[in-house]
Amino acid sequence: MTSFKSQHVLIVGAGLAGSLLACSMARLGFRVTVAERRADPRRAGVLGGRSINLALSCRGITALRREGLDGQVLADAIAMRGRMLHDPSGTLTFQPYSANTADAINSVSRSKLNLAMLDAAAAFQNVRFRFDLRCVDVDSDAAAAEFRVEPTGETVTIEVDAIIGADGAFSAVRGAMQRTDRFDYSQTYLEHGFKELLIPPARECGVDPDEHDGFAMDPHALHIWPRGGSMMIALPNADRTFTCTIFWPFHGAHGFDAIDPDDAESVREFFTRRYPDAAAIMPTLEREYRINPVGSLVTVRCSPWQIGSRLVLVGDAAHAIVPFFGQGINAGFEDCRILVELIEQLGELPQAIERYAQVRTIDADAIADMALENFVEMRDTVGHEAFLYAKRIEQTLHAHMPDRVEPKYNLVSFSNIPYAQAKRRGEEFAALVGRVAEAVPLSESRALADDEWRARVIRHGERLLGLH
Ligand SMILES: Cc1cc2nc3c(=O)[nH]c(=O)nc-3n(C[C@H](O)[C@H](O)[C@H](O)COP(=O)(O)OP(=O)(O)OC[C@H]3O[C@@H](n4cnc5c(N)ncnc54)[C@H](O)[C@@H]3O)c2cc1C
């Protein structure tokens, strides 16, 4: 294989994508500098505090596995095998993610994941981290980046063979690329924002600790409280807590501006009315609601992802998406895997950068669209009878013909097929499910025994696929 030893690569951003990529590039032999605007989280304890998690699925795990990091990351992960829907009266409905019970998404601690990536990268002798360096400009022709040293304000320039922007949704590297000719860029905010809240361990909120192994609710599900235009979700943490996230519009009756965070009584009253079962196990709700900030949700698209063959973007810097498919960092880690595989295949970094930018944009657009669509599904349709019925048909057909049909959720979360293909195949299958639901309607299904219903669904599905 080509030796990359003489080549120096600068990665801007030591977040999740930047530090994983540092591991891969170092393994290939590149000299790697990682410049990060924050202080070193391993020393400053910046990442401590609240438990914030994210859902890691097949694409992220595949990328981690390539670097031998999957075992360590998954050791603490909690598998979530489906959605647990909480209706306004507190009634629960479990919806498995897949007909295959082994399929699950994994709740992992965001800060632990970041520390694991940083430690893994720092273990390479050919990686150098430089913290407190904020990128302020990039010269794509010279592959040079200018930084402000955060504590002193002085300016530092780093010149290398190639620059990789892994500096997140508000990327300074992308900002510099935007000033070049024929660079397309769009940024769209949702009308909704988010705020994180907490459900403590069972013993702290009056739930029998033996019921769910110390958790206040079943930890092996992603909990959703769909409320039409708004929703709350909760993912489990290894410390037996759940991190809840409310996704509400900024304005309106169920919006952030309708509830004064300093009015503890109104906060409690609102949650007791709209999320009664959750409110009952959130003893610190009023405090959390008051002190935790409201974040905004943005979709960023840009093209091309590279300028020439010495400047390229990965992760949120290239494609920030809304979090409703749980794919942001899964897509970011997949970027890193694909770029590294191309370097290995082509044996040259410049060619790999150009090829990566060509093949990947279409997939990022597809997951950005699917993430937006999934918000409507999660906050609204997921609780409808017709939706649950379609899911039942979908899983019946998938279990019967796993090689022929696969739901979009599975293709996105439990496979590595390109997102654009997952979207197309998922839509085709959804259309087929719709036609089976017309042939075997929900109203008739109630009168059918399970076996008979299943046989009819399979017969219609096979016929529509032209199998008989
Ligand atoms: C509410 C919410 C829930 C989410 N849930 C999930 C989920 O369940 N699953 C999932 O896969 N994804 C999820 N995501 C998305 C996920 O968090 C992001 O996709 C991921 O963090 C992006 O990683 P990144 O490394 O590209 O960028 P970041 O994590 O943003 O890292 C960028 C790094 O660059 C540094 N930086 C920024 N600017 C500069 C600069 N000028 N100079 C130097 N350094 C700089 C930053 O300090 C940071 O360290 C969620 C997002 C949100 C908002």
Side-chain angles (χ1 to χ4, degrees), residues 4 12 28 54 64 81 104 161 199 256 281 302 328 421 439 443:
F4 297 111
V12 181
L28 292 179
L54 50 76
L64 290 170
R81 299 203 173 78
D161 295 296
I199 293 178
F256 284 109
I281 51 174
C302 68
Q421 280 182 41
S443 51

Side-chain angles (χ1 to χ4, degrees), residues 67-85:
E67 302 307 326
L69 295 167
D70 55 317
Q72 179 191 352
V73 169
L74 290 177
D76 269 353
I78 301 174
M80 300 178 289
R81 299 203 173 78
R83 297 163 163 169
M84 186 70 83
L85 305 180

Side-chain angles (χ1 to χ4, degrees), residues 138-308:
V138 172
D139 176 346
S140 57
D141 295 328
E146 192 180 311
F147 293 89
R148 192 174 67 228
V149 183
E150 284 294 49
T152 61
E154 74 189 279
T155 302
V156 169
T157 301
I158 303 180
E159 253 186 84
V160 286
D161 295 296
I163 299 176
I164 300 172
D167 50 342
F170 301 100
S171 166
V173 177
R174 189 189 63 230
M177 291 165 78
Q178 275 167 242
R179 296 195 297 274
T180 61
D181 193 28
R182 307 201 61 226
F183 186 85
D184 286 331
Y185 170 74
S186 75
Q187 162 183 303
T188 317
Y189 282 96
L190 274 195
E191 287 168 18
H192 293 69
F194 71 96
K195 186 193 279 271
E196 278 139 349
L197 304 168
L198 182 87
I199 293 178
R203 66 186 139 70
E204 290 173 35
C205 54
V207 175
D208 176 1
D210 293 334
E211 207 178 324
H212 300 295
D213 190 24
F215 288 89
M217 307 183 292
D218 181 352
H220 295 296
L222 189 152
H223 293 260
I224 310 182
W225 289 258
R227 295 295 182 264
S230 306
M231 69 169 177
M232 177 162 82
I233 66 169
L235 274 72
N237 299 305
D239 63 4
R240 303 295 192 266
T241 62
F242 282 86
T243 304
C244 303
T245 312
I246 48 176
F247 294 97
W248 292 358
F250 282 96
H251 310 292
H254 199 141
F256 284 109
D257 67 354
I259 301 153
D260 176 0
D262 292 324
D263 181 352
E265 216 171 291
S266 300
V267 172
R268 174 64 58 187
E269 186 279 325
F270 186 84
F271 275 80
T272 303
R273 193 156 37 86
R274 301 306 305 264
Y275 306 93
D277 60 333
I281 51 174
M282 296 169 89
T284 54
L285 168 66
E286 294 85 340
R287 181 173 173 276
E288 301 266 332
Y289 191 88
R290 179 166 49 80
I291 63 175
N292 292 344
V294 179
S296 49
L297 296 163
V298 69
T299 301
V300 171
R301 301 178 204 243
C302 68
S303 168
W305 286 6
Q306 109 289 1
I307 302 278

Side-chain angles (χ1 to χ4, degrees), residues 45 49 115 127 133 152 155 202 218 354 394 399 404 421 428 442:
L115 289 174
V127 173
L133 281 193
T152 61
T155 302
D218 181 352
E354 286 175 24
E394 190 182 89
R404 264 187 189 273
Q421 280 182 41
E428 283 167 10
L442 174 62

Side-chain angles (χ1 to χ4, degrees), residues 13 16-17 36-38 55 110 135 167 316 326-330:
L16 296 172
E36 164 62 47
R37 73 171 174 202
R38 294 173 305 173
R110 184 184 280 269
C135 180
D167 50 342
D316 276 20
Q327 283 296 307
I329 198 50
N330 286 286

